[in-house]
Amino acid sequence: MRDTTCLERLSLALRTALACLIVSLTTLYGPKPLKNWATFPAFSYLTTILIWLSDAEPTYGEVLKCCVDVSYATFQTAAIVLVSVLVVGPASLGISFVAPVAVAVASFIVAFPASTSLLTKRIAFGQIVLVYVTFAVFNGEVAHVFMLPVHVAASTALGAIASLLAVFLPFPRLAHSQMTKGCKLYAENALERLNLFVEVMMARDNTTAQVLIAKAASLSSAARHTLKGIKIHHERLAWERPDTRFLKKKQKHQGEKLKATEFLMRGMEIALGSCSSFPLGMSRDEVTNLLEAPRTHIAHEPASTLKPEDRLTWLPEAGSLSTTSLPVYFFRYCVELFRGDVSSVRQDSKRVDGSFTSKSFLDALSVWMARERFVFAFKCSISLGLAVLFGILYNKKNGYWSGLTVAISLVSGRQATLTVANSRLQGTAMGSVYGLLCCVVFQRLEEFRFLPLLPWIAATVFMRHSKVYGQPGGVTSAIAALLILGRRNYGAPTDFAITRIVEASIGLLCFVLGEVLVTPARASTLARAELKHCRDAVLDCIGSLVLCSEQKNMPLSDLRSKQAKLNSHVEALERLTSEALTEPNVPFLKPLNAVSYKKVLVSLSKVSDLCLYVCDGLTNLSGAHPWDQAITHDLKAFQEKLHSSVKCLEEMASTKTRARLQKELQKRKICHDVEAGTASNDNYSNMELGPSQDDAERFSVSFVKLLKEATEKTSGSTTAEEVVKNETTLCLSSLGFCISRLMQETVCIMTEITHTT
């Protein structure tokens, strides 16, 4: 898989270099009429780099969509510029302090609509900066005023056309073929994990099994990345083949099938990770036959030859049921799900709570979206206006670069502001230094200065995927080298490089200022607030589960909606945590506890999956009520302990001073603060806040007792009745495991939250 990824990146690097080469040859050696139209070659390079070094890896469908976005941005900019020229006049726009105001107003108009893409906004921002700074540079005395937007549009079109040609040469890079490769990579990954599962079940000791499970977890992370790529390429099919719009159901079925397959693979991984001892007492042939259904499903081989009545003959008798055997039954339950309609297992994304369709919610949503659009537009207006103002004050002739630096940096959502600014500044410096070195080497061969661009552009594609520089550093390093080596008649390269680095620094300072003014909250602060939302969502899931145990024939829509809510909060917490970990440490602010938050994220993901398995298990029981008074009592006791734990944590969080906090901790017989590094009091080190793992174990014992009684009472006189009995036993066993493991993960979450309070 790693070799395939490197080859894909090399292919993208060559195509990106080819697109830049087309622009370079056209602007340097192309026909004179064409060069007279495309008078801004720097913006042609910028357009090409924004298309090819975007967050997603371009295919023909993506590049075609980008060309449409670029065209829309060009028409939008032309309309704004023409109106401003007619209303204000070119002479007034040439005043140094009027141009930044015009940029700020035009940027606000471009940024406010929610229907336009980020690329459209970035291209429009860049075009606005070019036009109005040009007015300021020439003091409004621009020959053929109405031709200026045309020259900007021609330069933009050159970059878009070069990108479109590069995606076709030497052969088209289609989303369909990339999606097929992604499916093949995922199948190889899943089969490798199945082989690891076999080795885990045959492991001689726990240490060997844990090492293999850790390896499977790393493969699972790679599989999630592959599935994200498949989803992205699937969305681009409509641009390559418009007829796929009429085949959405079939295409969506394939995507849901892959998601459901990964869901079951994660369930098997959870089951093996919960086993207390190895080996599991099965021969290699038995394990191989057991995993025949997943293997044939993933490899798209002919269906299993096992008959329905032969599939569940390996189920245990009532006397052999125990709490330690529940993980094995859940593993077999996941295997059995592979034999049915896999795409019907994971239905969380399609279930929506009916209360969400109320008019009040829609009104609140529209107000929130309008506020978000206004905040983003205000941020773009302030950042670009200040960048152009200070850029013109520093160097009027090169005042473009501060505004263009901000134009390619703005995003609608949150981002690690200081990290992005640092990466962009380093990329600008590296690209400029590389360009200057190449100018020295090719001092006597000025006609061939563009040749060193090709390996550098290829290197920036790999730089884009690095953790140090990322996409911001890769984009700016490519642009910096292109502006020095890919153009002529801009003065001394050294003077230009120094001026541009200063202008880029001015732009990045204005970018940081705009981000801080509009979104002053740090990601670590938002992550701590999101952790509370995740905790409350887990409590809601536990509450829905308690209601299911108390009320017979209760619909599962409530539990599914609570799981969907939890899943959305987990995704937000994961995003904020990754951003917070890239923030620089501030001496007087407490950093995020990375270890604890990563543990919480793992447990929250498992809770989300286990809730879906509980819903699926209750659905497969066909109306049977798998609860009794003891189980309901254990669940309610667990819920009450959770609520008391949360209440205690909230009271502790409201305690401001450390002395009062220590007093509260002593009062509750809890005296430990892992994140602050304070040692715990020996007298209270064994005291707990809220539920413990013993509660989960107590529930498992009660459920196994119920399961034994149900198995002994049920008898099958015929083969069909025996199959139904075995299926019910298997479903009940997996349900007991899921609820017990859900309780265990909830205890782990509360423990980590307590440590980080």
Side-chain angles (χ1 to χ4, degrees), residues 56-57 59-66 174-176 178-180 226-242 244-245 247-248 251-252 254-256 259:
E57 297 178 348
T59 58
Y60 165 62
E62 177 67 13
V63 174
L64 185 62
K65 178 180 178 298
C66 289
L174 302 176
H176 181 269
Q178 297 302 314
M179 188 174 175
T180 303
T226 303
L227 287 176
K228 288 181 181 178
I230 293 173
K231 181 181 179 182
I232 292 173
H233 292 309
H234 177 266
E235 294 172 352
R236 298 173 180 171
L237 287 176
W239 284 93
E240 294 182 2
R241 294 180 55 190
T244 55
R245 297 178 185 272
L247 302 174
K248 279 190 174 181
Q251 298 290 346
K252 188 175 289 186
Q254 184 179 6
E256 291 297 325
K259 288 169 60 179

mmCIF file of all heavy atoms in Angstrom, residues 56-57 59-66 174-176 178-180 226-242 244-245 247-248 251-252 254-256 259:
data_model
loop_
_atom_site.group_PDB
_atom_site.id
_atom_site.type_symbol
_atom_site.label_atom_id
_atom_site.label_comp_id
_atom_site.label_asym_id
_atom_site.label_seq_id
_atom_site.Cartn_x
_atom_site.Cartn_y
_atom_site.Cartn_z
ATOM 1 N N ALA A 56 -7.559 18.045 -1.890
ATOM 2 C CA ALA A 56 -7.884 16.755 -2.497
ATOM 3 C C ALA A 56 -6.990 16.529 -3.718
ATOM 4 O O ALA A 56 -6.538 17.468 -4.367
ATOM 5 C CB ALA A 56 -9.349 16.714 -2.912
ATOM 6 N N GLU A 57 -6.717 15.260 -4.027
ATOM 7 C CA GLU A 57 -5.894 14.926 -5.180
ATOM 8 C C GLU A 57 -6.752 15.016 -6.438
ATOM 9 O O GLU A 57 -7.738 14.290 -6.571
ATOM 10 C CB GLU A 57 -5.304 13.525 -5.018
ATOM 11 C CG GLU A 57 -4.372 13.429 -3.812
ATOM 12 C CD GLU A 57 -3.818 12.034 -3.626
ATOM 13 O OE1 GLU A 57 -4.341 11.114 -4.281
ATOM 14 O OE2 GLU A 57 -2.876 11.870 -2.849
ATOM 15 N N THR A 59 -8.576 14.859 -10.032
ATOM 16 C CA THR A 59 -8.853 13.997 -11.170
ATOM 17 C C THR A 59 -9.515 14.866 -12.242
ATOM 18 O O THR A 59 -9.693 16.074 -12.056
ATOM 19 C CB THR A 59 -9.787 12.841 -10.782
ATOM 20 O OG1 THR A 59 -11.008 13.389 -10.252
ATOM 21 C CG2 THR A 59 -9.143 11.944 -9.736
ATOM 22 N N TYR A 60 -9.874 14.236 -13.365
ATOM 23 C CA TYR A 60 -10.490 15.011 -14.440
ATOM 24 C C TYR A 60 -11.766 15.699 -13.955
ATOM 25 O O TYR A 60 -12.007 16.880 -14.242
ATOM 26 C CB TYR A 60 -10.794 14.097 -15.627
ATOM 27 C CG TYR A 60 -11.737 14.701 -16.629
ATOM 28 C CD1 TYR A 60 -11.412 15.864 -17.318
ATOM 29 C CD2 TYR A 60 -12.989 14.127 -16.872
ATOM 30 C CE1 TYR A 60 -12.290 16.433 -18.217
ATOM 31 C CE2 TYR A 60 -13.870 14.681 -17.773
ATOM 32 C CZ TYR A 60 -13.519 15.839 -18.447
ATOM 33 O OH TYR A 60 -14.387 16.402 -19.338
ATOM 34 N N GLY A 61 -12.577 14.988 -13.197
ATOM 35 C CA GLY A 61 -13.809 15.573 -12.695
ATOM 36 C C GLY A 61 -13.545 16.739 -11.762
ATOM 37 O O GLY A 61 -14.217 17.776 -11.833
ATOM 38 N N GLU A 62 -12.534 16.622 -10.894
ATOM 39 C CA GLU A 62 -12.215 17.702 -9.963
ATOM 40 C C GLU A 62 -11.661 18.912 -10.709
ATOM 41 O O GLU A 62 -12.019 20.062 -10.404
ATOM 42 C CB GLU A 62 -11.205 17.200 -8.931
ATOM 43 C CG GLU A 62 -10.729 18.241 -7.949
ATOM 44 C CD GLU A 62 -11.808 18.720 -7.000
ATOM 45 O OE1 GLU A 62 -12.875 18.078 -6.934
ATOM 46 O OE2 GLU A 62 -11.586 19.743 -6.340
ATOM 47 N N VAL A 63 -10.765 18.680 -11.670
ATOM 48 C CA VAL A 63 -10.188 19.798 -12.430
ATOM 49 C C VAL A 63 -11.271 20.497 -13.248
ATOM 50 O O VAL A 63 -11.288 21.734 -13.353
ATOM 51 C CB VAL A 63 -9.045 19.297 -13.330
ATOM 52 C CG1 VAL A 63 -8.539 20.404 -14.239
ATOM 53 C CG2 VAL A 63 -7.896 18.766 -12.481
ATOM 54 N N LEU A 64 -12.189 19.709 -13.815
ATOM 55 C CA LEU A 64 -13.288 20.312 -14.572
ATOM 56 C C LEU A 64 -14.158 21.172 -13.661
ATOM 57 O O LEU A 64 -14.571 22.288 -14.029
ATOM 58 C CB LEU A 64 -14.118 19.218 -15.234
ATOM 59 C CG LEU A 64 -15.252 19.680 -16.157
ATOM 60 C CD1 LEU A 64 -14.690 20.477 -17.328
ATOM 61 C CD2 LEU A 64 -16.051 18.481 -16.667
ATOM 62 N N LYS A 65 -14.431 20.684 -12.468
ATOM 63 C CA LYS A 65 -15.197 21.471 -11.498
ATOM 64 C C LYS A 65 -14.427 22.732 -11.111
ATOM 65 O O LYS A 65 -15.025 23.816 -10.965
ATOM 66 C CB LYS A 65 -15.476 20.620 -10.257
ATOM 67 C CG LYS A 65 -16.219 21.349 -9.146
ATOM 68 C CD LYS A 65 -16.450 20.437 -7.966
ATOM 69 C CE LYS A 65 -17.150 21.168 -6.831
ATOM 70 N NZ LYS A 65 -16.354 22.296 -6.297
ATOM 71 N N CYS A 66 -13.106 22.607 -10.943
ATOM 72 C CA CYS A 66 -12.288 23.773 -10.607
ATOM 73 C C CYS A 66 -12.327 24.819 -11.721
ATOM 74 O O CYS A 66 -12.362 26.025 -11.451
ATOM 75 C CB CYS A 66 -10.848 23.347 -10.337
ATOM 76 S SG CYS A 66 -10.613 22.426 -8.809
ATOM 77 N N LEU A 174 -8.862 9.659 -14.235
ATOM 78 C CA LEU A 174 -10.300 9.654 -14.002
ATOM 79 C C LEU A 174 -10.625 9.250 -12.567
ATOM 80 O O LEU A 174 -9.927 8.427 -11.960
ATOM 81 C CB LEU A 174 -10.992 8.701 -14.975
ATOM 82 C CG LEU A 174 -10.779 8.998 -16.463
ATOM 83 C CD1 LEU A 174 -11.436 7.924 -17.311
ATOM 84 C CD2 LEU A 174 -11.309 10.378 -16.821
ATOM 85 N N ALA A 175 -11.704 9.808 -12.051
ATOM 86 C CA ALA A 175 -12.148 9.473 -10.697
ATOM 87 C C ALA A 175 -12.600 8.021 -10.611
ATOM 88 O O ALA A 175 -12.415 7.366 -9.579
ATOM 89 C CB ALA A 175 -13.285 10.408 -10.268
ATOM 90 N N HIS A 176 -13.184 7.516 -11.684
ATOM 91 C CA HIS A 176 -13.658 6.130 -11.679
ATOM 92 C C HIS A 176 -12.495 5.159 -11.501
ATOM 93 O O HIS A 176 -12.570 4.208 -10.713
ATOM 94 C CB HIS A 176 -14.404 5.837 -12.980
ATOM 95 C CG HIS A 176 -14.950 4.440 -13.049
ATOM 96 N ND1 HIS A 176 -14.239 3.377 -13.582
ATOM 97 C CD2 HIS A 176 -16.135 3.911 -12.618
ATOM 98 C CE1 HIS A 176 -14.960 2.278 -13.489
ATOM 99 N NE2 HIS A 176 -16.114 2.577 -12.915
ATOM 100 N N GLN A 178 -9.567 5.880 -10.161
ATOM 101 C CA GLN A 178 -9.011 6.072 -8.823
ATOM 102 C C GLN A 178 -9.885 5.405 -7.769
ATOM 103 O O GLN A 178 -9.377 4.844 -6.792
ATOM 104 C CB GLN A 178 -8.882 7.566 -8.525
ATOM 105 C CG GLN A 178 -7.924 8.302 -9.428
ATOM 106 C CD GLN A 178 -6.520 7.726 -9.376
ATOM 107 O OE1 GLN A 178 -5.991 7.454 -8.297
ATOM 108 N NE2 GLN A 178 -5.917 7.530 -10.532
ATOM 109 N N MET A 179 -11.193 5.434 -7.986
ATOM 110 C CA MET A 179 -12.107 4.767 -7.061
ATOM 111 C C MET A 179 -11.923 3.252 -7.116
ATOM 112 O O MET A 179 -11.948 2.574 -6.086
ATOM 113 C CB MET A 179 -13.540 5.152 -7.409
ATOM 114 C CG MET A 179 -14.581 4.684 -6.421
ATOM 115 S SD MET A 179 -16.213 5.324 -6.836
ATOM 116 C CE MET A 179 -17.200 4.477 -5.611
ATOM 117 N N THR A 180 -11.710 2.733 -8.320
ATOM 118 C CA THR A 180 -11.464 1.294 -8.457
ATOM 119 C C THR A 180 -10.179 0.895 -7.750
ATOM 120 O O THR A 180 -10.122 -0.133 -7.060
ATOM 121 C CB THR A 180 -11.393 0.918 -9.945
ATOM 122 O OG1 THR A 180 -12.607 1.320 -10.591
ATOM 123 C CG2 THR A 180 -11.204 -0.577 -10.112
ATOM 124 N N THR A 226 -8.264 5.295 3.301
ATOM 125 C CA THR A 226 -8.628 4.832 1.957
ATOM 126 C C THR A 226 -10.104 5.052 1.683
ATOM 127 O O THR A 226 -10.487 5.462 0.582
ATOM 128 C CB THR A 226 -8.283 3.344 1.807
ATOM 129 O OG1 THR A 226 -6.884 3.146 2.082
ATOM 130 C CG2 THR A 226 -8.575 2.852 0.401
ATOM 131 N N LEU A 227 -10.955 4.790 2.665
ATOM 132 C CA LEU A 227 -12.391 4.993 2.487
ATOM 133 C C LEU A 227 -12.728 6.466 2.262
ATOM 134 O O LEU A 227 -13.644 6.796 1.502
ATOM 135 C CB LEU A 227 -13.152 4.456 3.703
ATOM 136 C CG LEU A 227 -13.228 2.933 3.825
ATOM 137 C CD1 LEU A 227 -13.917 2.547 5.120
ATOM 138 C CD2 LEU A 227 -13.952 2.329 2.640
ATOM 139 N N LYS A 228 -12.003 7.362 2.923
ATOM 140 C CA LYS A 228 -12.223 8.792 2.687
ATOM 141 C C LYS A 228 -11.910 9.158 1.236
ATOM 142 O O LYS A 228 -12.632 9.923 0.598
ATOM 143 C CB LYS A 228 -11.357 9.612 3.638
ATOM 144 C CG LYS A 228 -11.814 9.580 5.083
ATOM 145 C CD LYS A 228 -10.906 10.433 5.959
ATOM 146 C CE LYS A 228 -11.343 10.375 7.419
ATOM 147 N NZ LYS A 228 -10.444 11.173 8.302
ATOM 148 N N GLY A 229 -10.800 8.587 0.707
ATOM 149 C CA GLY A 229 -10.459 8.837 -0.687
ATOM 150 C C GLY A 229 -11.504 8.294 -1.644
ATOM 151 O O GLY A 229 -11.843 8.936 -2.642
ATOM 152 N N ILE A 230 -12.034 7.117 -1.344
ATOM 153 C CA ILE A 230 -13.089 6.526 -2.189
ATOM 154 C C ILE A 230 -14.329 7.419 -2.189
ATOM 155 O O ILE A 230 -14.955 7.641 -3.233
ATOM 156 C CB ILE A 230 -13.422 5.108 -1.702
ATOM 157 C CG1 ILE A 230 -12.228 4.170 -1.929
ATOM 158 C CG2 ILE A 230 -14.656 4.563 -2.409
ATOM 159 C CD1 ILE A 230 -12.403 2.801 -1.333
ATOM 160 N N LYS A 231 -14.679 7.943 -1.027
ATOM 161 C CA LYS A 231 -15.846 8.817 -0.938
ATOM 162 C C LYS A 231 -15.647 10.083 -1.756
ATOM 163 O O LYS A 231 -16.558 10.548 -2.459
ATOM 164 C CB LYS A 231 -16.109 9.167 0.530
ATOM 165 C CG LYS A 231 -17.316 10.059 0.734
ATOM 166 C CD LYS A 231 -17.508 10.385 2.210
ATOM 167 C CE LYS A 231 -18.711 11.307 2.403
ATOM 168 N NZ LYS A 231 -18.885 11.661 3.845
ATOM 169 N N ILE A 232 -14.444 10.658 -1.702
ATOM 170 C CA ILE A 232 -14.156 11.880 -2.469
ATOM 171 C C ILE A 232 -14.258 11.612 -3.958
ATOM 172 O O ILE A 232 -14.877 12.382 -4.713
ATOM 173 C CB ILE A 232 -12.759 12.421 -2.102
ATOM 174 C CG1 ILE A 232 -12.752 12.934 -0.663
ATOM 175 C CG2 ILE A 232 -12.338 13.529 -3.059
ATOM 176 C CD1 ILE A 232 -11.379 13.339 -0.164
ATOM 177 N N HIS A 233 -13.658 10.511 -4.421
ATOM 178 C CA HIS A 233 -13.705 10.189 -5.851
ATOM 179 C C HIS A 233 -15.128 9.856 -6.297
ATOM 180 O O HIS A 233 -15.502 10.136 -7.441
ATOM 181 C CB HIS A 233 -12.772 9.022 -6.155
ATOM 182 C CG HIS A 233 -11.318 9.362 -5.989
ATOM 183 N ND1 HIS A 233 -10.751 10.464 -6.577
ATOM 184 C CD2 HIS A 233 -10.315 8.737 -5.301
ATOM 185 C CE1 HIS A 233 -9.460 10.522 -6.253
ATOM 186 N NE2 HIS A 233 -9.185 9.495 -5.490
ATOM 187 N N HIS A 234 -15.915 9.273 -5.402
ATOM 188 C CA HIS A 234 -17.303 8.960 -5.745
ATOM 189 C C HIS A 234 -18.106 10.227 -6.017
ATOM 190 O O HIS A 234 -18.951 10.271 -6.915
ATOM 191 C CB HIS A 234 -17.940 8.162 -4.611
ATOM 192 C CG HIS A 234 -19.387 7.852 -4.826
ATOM 193 N ND1 HIS A 234 -20.388 8.658 -4.319
ATOM 194 C CD2 HIS A 234 -20.010 6.866 -5.503
ATOM 195 C CE1 HIS A 234 -21.554 8.167 -4.663
ATOM 196 N NE2 HIS A 234 -21.362 7.083 -5.383
ATOM 197 N N GLU A 235 -17.818 11.283 -5.238
ATOM 198 C CA GLU A 235 -18.534 12.543 -5.430
ATOM 199 C C GLU A 235 -18.154 13.219 -6.741
ATOM 200 O O GLU A 235 -18.900 14.059 -7.245
ATOM 201 C CB GLU A 235 -18.243 13.477 -4.252
ATOM 202 C CG GLU A 235 -18.804 12.964 -2.927
ATOM 203 C CD GLU A 235 -18.343 13.790 -1.747
ATOM 204 O OE1 GLU A 235 -17.465 14.663 -1.966
ATOM 205 O OE2 GLU A 235 -18.822 13.563 -0.625
ATOM 206 N N ARG A 236 -16.988 12.883 -7.295
ATOM 207 C CA ARG A 236 -16.539 13.516 -8.544
ATOM 208 C C ARG A 236 -17.043 12.807 -9.791
ATOM 209 O O ARG A 236 -16.851 13.311 -10.895
ATOM 210 C CB ARG A 236 -15.005 13.538 -8.584
ATOM 211 C CG ARG A 236 -14.375 14.342 -7.463
ATOM 212 C CD ARG A 236 -12.884 14.164 -7.468
ATOM 213 N NE ARG A 236 -12.242 14.922 -6.406
ATOM 214 C CZ ARG A 236 -10.969 14.804 -6.080
ATOM 215 N NH1 ARG A 236 -10.201 13.943 -6.739
ATOM 216 N NH2 ARG A 236 -10.450 15.536 -5.117
ATOM 217 N N LEU A 237 -17.655 11.653 -9.617
ATOM 218 C CA LEU A 237 -18.123 10.914 -10.791
ATOM 219 C C LEU A 237 -19.154 11.711 -11.583
ATOM 220 O O LEU A 237 -19.209 11.612 -12.814
ATOM 221 C CB LEU A 237 -18.728 9.573 -10.350
ATOM 222 C CG LEU A 237 -17.749 8.495 -9.884
ATOM 223 C CD1 LEU A 237 -18.516 7.275 -9.399
ATOM 224 C CD2 LEU A 237 -16.793 8.105 -10.996
ATOM 225 N N ALA A 238 -19.975 12.504 -10.899
ATOM 226 C CA ALA A 238 -21.023 13.247 -11.592
ATOM 227 C C ALA A 238 -20.445 14.279 -12.550
ATOM 228 O O ALA A 238 -21.080 14.625 -13.548
ATOM 229 C CB ALA A 238 -21.931 13.934 -10.573
ATOM 230 N N TRP A 239 -19.211 14.771 -12.269
ATOM 231 C CA TRP A 239 -18.593 15.736 -13.170
ATOM 232 C C TRP A 239 -17.968 15.055 -14.384
ATOM 233 O O TRP A 239 -17.865 15.659 -15.452
ATOM 234 C CB TRP A 239 -17.532 16.536 -12.427
ATOM 235 C CG TRP A 239 -18.125 17.574 -11.544
ATOM 236 C CD1 TRP A 239 -18.435 17.447 -10.218
ATOM 237 C CD2 TRP A 239 -18.516 18.894 -11.913
ATOM 238 N NE1 TRP A 239 -18.986 18.602 -9.735
ATOM 239 C CE2 TRP A 239 -19.047 19.525 -10.760
ATOM 240 C CE3 TRP A 239 -18.473 19.617 -13.105
ATOM 241 C CZ2 TRP A 239 -19.524 20.824 -10.775
ATOM 242 C CZ3 TRP A 239 -18.941 20.923 -13.121
ATOM 243 C CH2 TRP A 239 -19.458 21.512 -11.965
ATOM 244 N N GLU A 240 -17.549 13.821 -14.217
ATOM 245 C CA GLU A 240 -16.966 13.098 -15.349
ATOM 246 C C GLU A 240 -18.037 12.443 -16.214
ATOM 247 O O GLU A 240 -17.928 12.413 -17.435
ATOM 248 C CB GLU A 240 -16.006 12.023 -14.833
ATOM 249 C CG GLU A 240 -14.787 12.588 -14.131
ATOM 250 C CD GLU A 240 -13.844 11.502 -13.672
ATOM 251 O OE1 GLU A 240 -14.138 10.314 -13.936
ATOM 252 O OE2 GLU A 240 -12.824 11.825 -13.056
ATOM 253 N N ARG A 241 -19.069 11.931 -15.561
ATOM 254 C CA ARG A 241 -20.158 11.257 -16.278
ATOM 255 C C ARG A 241 -21.479 11.788 -15.742
ATOM 256 O O ARG A 241 -21.962 11.355 -14.687
ATOM 257 C CB ARG A 241 -20.084 9.743 -16.069
ATOM 258 C CG ARG A 241 -18.861 9.085 -16.690
ATOM 259 C CD ARG A 241 -18.892 7.598 -16.429
ATOM 260 N NE ARG A 241 -20.136 7.000 -16.899
ATOM 261 C CZ ARG A 241 -20.511 5.744 -16.632
ATOM 262 N NH1 ARG A 241 -19.741 4.985 -15.910
ATOM 263 N NH2 ARG A 241 -21.646 5.277 -17.093
ATOM 264 N N PRO A 242 -22.088 12.743 -16.439
ATOM 265 C CA PRO A 242 -23.361 13.298 -15.952
ATOM 266 C C PRO A 242 -24.457 12.254 -15.806
ATOM 267 O O PRO A 242 -25.386 12.442 -15.019
ATOM 268 C CB PRO A 242 -23.730 14.318 -17.041
ATOM 269 C CG PRO A 242 -22.432 14.660 -17.696
ATOM 270 C CD PRO A 242 -21.606 13.402 -17.649
ATOM 271 N N THR A 244 -24.305 9.551 -14.308
ATOM 272 C CA THR A 244 -24.287 8.927 -12.977
ATOM 273 C C THR A 244 -25.237 9.614 -12.016
ATOM 274 O O THR A 244 -25.545 9.061 -10.956
ATOM 275 C CB THR A 244 -22.871 8.979 -12.385
ATOM 276 O OG1 THR A 244 -22.416 10.346 -12.371
ATOM 277 C CG2 THR A 244 -21.911 8.153 -13.209
ATOM 278 N N ARG A 245 -25.700 10.797 -12.348
ATOM 279 C CA ARG A 245 -26.690 11.462 -11.489
ATOM 280 C C ARG A 245 -27.984 10.664 -11.420
ATOM 281 O O ARG A 245 -28.727 10.737 -10.445
ATOM 282 C CB ARG A 245 -26.979 12.866 -12.020
ATOM 283 C CG ARG A 245 -25.780 13.789 -12.012
ATOM 284 C CD ARG A 245 -26.136 15.144 -12.595
ATOM 285 N NE ARG A 245 -24.968 15.997 -12.703
ATOM 286 C CZ ARG A 245 -24.529 16.799 -11.744
ATOM 287 N NH1 ARG A 245 -25.172 16.844 -10.595
ATOM 288 N NH2 ARG A 245 -23.467 17.548 -11.918
ATOM 289 N N LEU A 247 -27.975 7.398 -11.510
ATOM 290 C CA LEU A 247 -27.658 6.085 -10.949
ATOM 291 C C LEU A 247 -27.179 6.221 -9.515
ATOM 292 O O LEU A 247 -26.352 5.462 -9.056
ATOM 293 C CB LEU A 247 -26.564 5.400 -11.794
ATOM 294 C CG LEU A 247 -26.895 5.194 -13.275
ATOM 295 C CD1 LEU A 247 -25.673 4.643 -14.004
ATOM 296 C CD2 LEU A 247 -28.070 4.247 -13.444
ATOM 297 N N LYS A 248 -27.708 7.198 -8.815
ATOM 298 C CA LYS A 248 -27.213 7.480 -7.470
ATOM 299 C C LYS A 248 -27.467 6.328 -6.507
ATOM 300 O O LYS A 248 -26.663 6.036 -5.640
ATOM 301 C CB LYS A 248 -27.858 8.752 -6.922
ATOM 302 C CG LYS A 248 -27.184 10.019 -7.432
ATOM 303 C CD LYS A 248 -27.702 11.219 -6.681
ATOM 304 C CE LYS A 248 -26.933 12.469 -7.083
ATOM 305 N NZ LYS A 248 -27.398 13.653 -6.351
ATOM 306 N N GLN A 251 -24.796 3.644 -7.001
ATOM 307 C CA GLN A 251 -23.491 4.105 -6.550
ATOM 308 C C GLN A 251 -23.456 4.225 -5.028
ATOM 309 O O GLN A 251 -22.486 3.870 -4.391
ATOM 310 C CB GLN A 251 -23.175 5.459 -7.196
ATOM 311 C CG GLN A 251 -23.086 5.418 -8.704
ATOM 312 C CD GLN A 251 -21.864 4.669 -9.190
ATOM 313 O OE1 GLN A 251 -20.941 4.399 -8.433
ATOM 314 N NE2 GLN A 251 -21.866 4.291 -10.444
ATOM 315 N N LYS A 252 -24.544 4.737 -4.457
ATOM 316 C CA LYS A 252 -24.583 4.896 -3.011
ATOM 317 C C LYS A 252 -24.559 3.542 -2.313
ATOM 318 O O LYS A 252 -23.996 3.387 -1.244
ATOM 319 C CB LYS A 252 -25.828 5.693 -2.617
ATOM 320 C CG LYS A 252 -25.874 6.073 -1.153
ATOM 321 C CD LYS A 252 -27.059 6.954 -0.860
ATOM 322 C CE LYS A 252 -26.880 8.323 -1.453
ATOM 323 N NZ LYS A 252 -27.967 9.248 -1.050
ATOM 324 N N GLN A 254 -22.888 0.949 -3.189
ATOM 325 C CA GLN A 254 -21.502 0.505 -3.115
ATOM 326 C C GLN A 254 -20.772 1.219 -1.979
ATOM 327 O O GLN A 254 -20.013 0.591 -1.230
ATOM 328 C CB GLN A 254 -20.801 0.783 -4.445
ATOM 329 C CG GLN A 254 -19.365 0.263 -4.482
ATOM 330 C CD GLN A 254 -18.709 0.531 -5.822
ATOM 331 O OE1 GLN A 254 -19.287 1.195 -6.671
ATOM 332 N NE2 GLN A 254 -17.512 0.032 -5.999
ATOM 333 N N GLY A 255 -20.986 2.531 -1.840
ATOM 334 C CA GLY A 255 -20.348 3.248 -0.748
ATOM 335 C C GLY A 255 -20.819 2.772 0.611
ATOM 336 O O GLY A 255 -20.018 2.584 1.527
ATOM 337 N N GLU A 256 -22.114 2.537 0.758
ATOM 338 C CA GLU A 256 -22.646 2.040 2.024
ATOM 339 C C GLU A 256 -22.126 0.639 2.326
ATOM 340 O O GLU A 256 -21.900 0.282 3.481
ATOM 341 C CB GLU A 256 -24.177 2.031 1.977
ATOM 342 C CG GLU A 256 -24.814 3.410 1.954
ATOM 343 C CD GLU A 256 -24.513 4.187 3.215
ATOM 344 O OE1 GLU A 256 -24.434 3.572 4.297
ATOM 345 O OE2 GLU A 256 -24.346 5.409 3.118
ATOM 346 N N LYS A 259 -18.631 1.018 3.764
ATOM 347 C CA LYS A 259 -18.701 1.529 5.134
ATOM 348 C C LYS A 259 -19.168 0.444 6.101
ATOM 349 O O LYS A 259 -18.636 0.312 7.210
ATOM 350 C CB LYS A 259 -19.648 2.718 5.195
ATOM 351 C CG LYS A 259 -19.110 3.980 4.551
ATOM 352 C CD LYS A 259 -20.173 5.035 4.406
ATOM 353 C CE LYS A 259 -20.770 5.440 5.709
ATOM 354 N NZ LYS A 259 -21.801 6.500 5.552
#
